[in-house]
Amino acid sequence: MNAHPPVVRLLTFLLAIGALAARGDELVKPHEAQLRASVTKSLAFLDKETDAWMNERDCNACHHMPGLIWSHREAQRRGFAIDQAKFDEFLDWSVSRAKKGKSADEVIALMKLAMGEQAPPEFTKLVVDSQLPDGSWKLGGQFATMQRREAPEATGNSLRLFLLALGSQPAEQSLADGARTKAAAALAKRDPPKSLETLIFRALYARRFGPPDEVTNAREEVLKLQHPDGGWGWMIGEEQSDSLATGQALYLLQQSPEVSSVEAIARAQGWLVSHQREDGGWSIDITRISRLDRSGPAKAKSFKDATGIYTFWGSAWATIGLEQGFPIKEPQSAAAQ
């Protein structure tokens, strides 16, 4: 989903910082050592939590395995050391379960994006075969009923996610074009988003497929929604910042850094570094994201389980967002640039 080579993006970012400095603007940016330490701690946290998830659940889940795979592949591409044997175990476990599916859900789409050209062809077939007559895909899991946004918005967000996944490999271009044509009417629905995630995936979709002005408008809207503390809230209008939204916003803004976003990126990095827990994860208030009422004593286990899910989800996105601040060191295919 990157339109510009990594070296060009890095140079653009550095020039933007220089431009701010030349104007005398104060820029508070975490040191590289702080960012590197934060990413290293978070990768260890995700490893530990994934071990526990695999031992307790026979489920990939959109909030667990794709985030683990995506964060670790981004770390590898940027020169971070990971436990390769453990990562291979995670990957094999996740892929084997995904291949057993009869239809594609958001887990498959996210895993295609996380794995890039390493995604198996079975995933592509699942995505193509699962597209509904109206061009969308059936909502699953957290996307369907558990979050504080209505079904039409969740459907549109899921739609763009699947199309991004299908368009992530050059060999699938004709399939992606056909799916986009089928989805034209669904894509035309433009209800105002209630979640920052929807705004971000709209921008990422427009960055990949156009139009360019939609990318600019969405980026500007994301910048306007940044909180004074440097973070973002997952629900638009939510005053409390969280790691899920802040990581996703960082991911978008750093795909093509511009002068207008340099300070926002630095402040967001600072928020994540300062709010990271000692164990490497980030705490999150699920009541500001989930629509389910888990306040009663009888729902204590549900509240604990959901908090663990969102803690991992937010920590994975925070890690992915922070990793974008480091240059890519491995060669990239044209599709990944």
Side-chain angles (χ1 to χ4, degrees):
M1 290 192 289
N2 302 333
H4 304 290
V7 174
V8 173
R9 294 202 307 275
L10 178 61
L11 288 175
T12 301
F13 186 67
L14 293 175
L15 288 171
I17 291 177
L20 281 173
R23 296 207 316 262
D25 293 343
E26 182 180 359
L27 179 64
V28 180
K29 176 178 172 60
H31 296 299
E32 180 181 341
Q34 291 177 292
L35 295 174
R36 187 170 293 279
S38 182
V39 170
T40 300
K41 283 174 60 177
S42 64
L43 291 171
F45 170 81
L46 295 175
D47 279 348
K48 181 180 178 181
E49 292 298 308
T50 301
D51 265 333
W53 180 265
M54 287 171 55
N55 289 332
E56 297 169 6
R57 312 286 182 100
D58 188 25
C59 170
N60 275 329
C62 58
H63 42 70
H64 263 73
M65 302 311 294
L68 182 283
I69 294 168
W70 202 335
S71 63
H72 281 55
R73 282 199 69 245
E74 288 290 307
Q76 283 183 311
R77 295 170 66 203
R78 288 163 167 79
F80 284 87
I82 68 168
D83 186 329
Q84 188 64 51
K86 185 180 289 290
F87 176 69
D88 290 343
E89 178 186 357
F90 293 155
L91 187 61
D92 291 344
W93 187 91
S94 189
V95 169
S96 66
R97 278 152 184 77
K99 286 182 178 181
K100 295 177 182 178
K102 302 298 183 182
S103 62
D105 56 16
E106 286 80 11
V107 177
I108 298 295
L110 287 166
M111 285 185 65
K112 275 182 64 63
L113 290 171
M115 295 178 68
E117 294 190 356
Q118 295 179 5
E122 291 92 335
F123 287 5
T124 300
K125 186 176 188 308
L126 279 173
V127 170
V128 172
D129 292 348
S130 300
Q131 190 174 21
L132 299 174
D134 69 353
S136 67
W137 280 263
K138 183 180 179 180
L139 293 176
Q142 292 288 332
F143 282 77
T145 60
M146 299 182 187
Q147 297 175 333
R148 290 170 52 195
R149 56 184 173 193
E150 303 307 317
E153 178 180 347
T155 298
N157 189 46
S158 173
L159 169 63
R160 289 173 177 81
L161 176 64
F162 273 103
L163 292 174
L164 279 168
L166 197 56
S168 62
Q169 299 179 22
E172 300 175 357
Q173 189 60 53
S174 62
L175 295 174
D177 290 343
R180 289 177 60 234
T181 299
K182 189 175 179 180
L187 287 168
K189 298 176 181 178
R190 306 293 300 172
D191 295 330
K194 292 185 178 181
S195 68
L196 188 80
E197 181 177 82
T198 298
L199 187 61
I200 287 169
F201 272 95
R202 284 183 181 179
L204 290 172
Y205 178 85
R207 189 168 181 272
R208 174 66 178 82
F209 298 110
D213 61 334
E214 185 168 328
V215 183
T216 301
N217 294 338
R219 281 174 58 92
E220 290 177 353
E221 188 63 26
V222 169
L223 291 172
K224 290 177 184 177
L225 292 170
Q226 188 175 27
H227 296 162
D229 65 6
W232 281 265
W234 192 82
M235 291 296 295
I236 293 176
E238 173 58 62
E239 296 180 356
Q240 181 172 308
S241 298
D242 64 70
S243 56
L244 180 57
T246 304
Q248 290 178 334
L250 265 180
Y251 180 82
L252 168 66
L253 294 176
Q254 292 183 108
Q255 297 307 297
S256 53
E258 300 174 359
V259 173
S260 61
S261 61
V262 169
E263 185 176 358
I265 290 170
R267 290 170 55 222
Q269 290 171 331
W271 187 89
L272 286 173
V273 168
S274 65
H275 285 78
Q276 188 175 24
R277 304 185 315 202
E278 281 302 312
D279 67 358
W282 281 264
S283 299
I284 196 165
D285 183 353
I286 66 169
T287 64
R288 299 174 185 273
I289 299 175
S290 175
R291 69 165 68 243
L292 302 183
D293 181 5
R294 299 181 175 90
S295 58
K299 298 293 182 100
K301 183 178 185 306
S302 175
F303 182 82
K304 179 181 179 181
D305 289 345
T307 297
I309 285 171
Y310 276 91
T311 296
F312 187 96
W313 205 350
S315 297
W317 267 111
T319 307
I320 293 168
L322 287 174
E323 287 167 340
Q324 306 308 302
F326 295 88
I328 295 172
K329 295 184 177 182
E330 71 172 25
Q332 281 187 287
S333 68
Q337 295 178 347

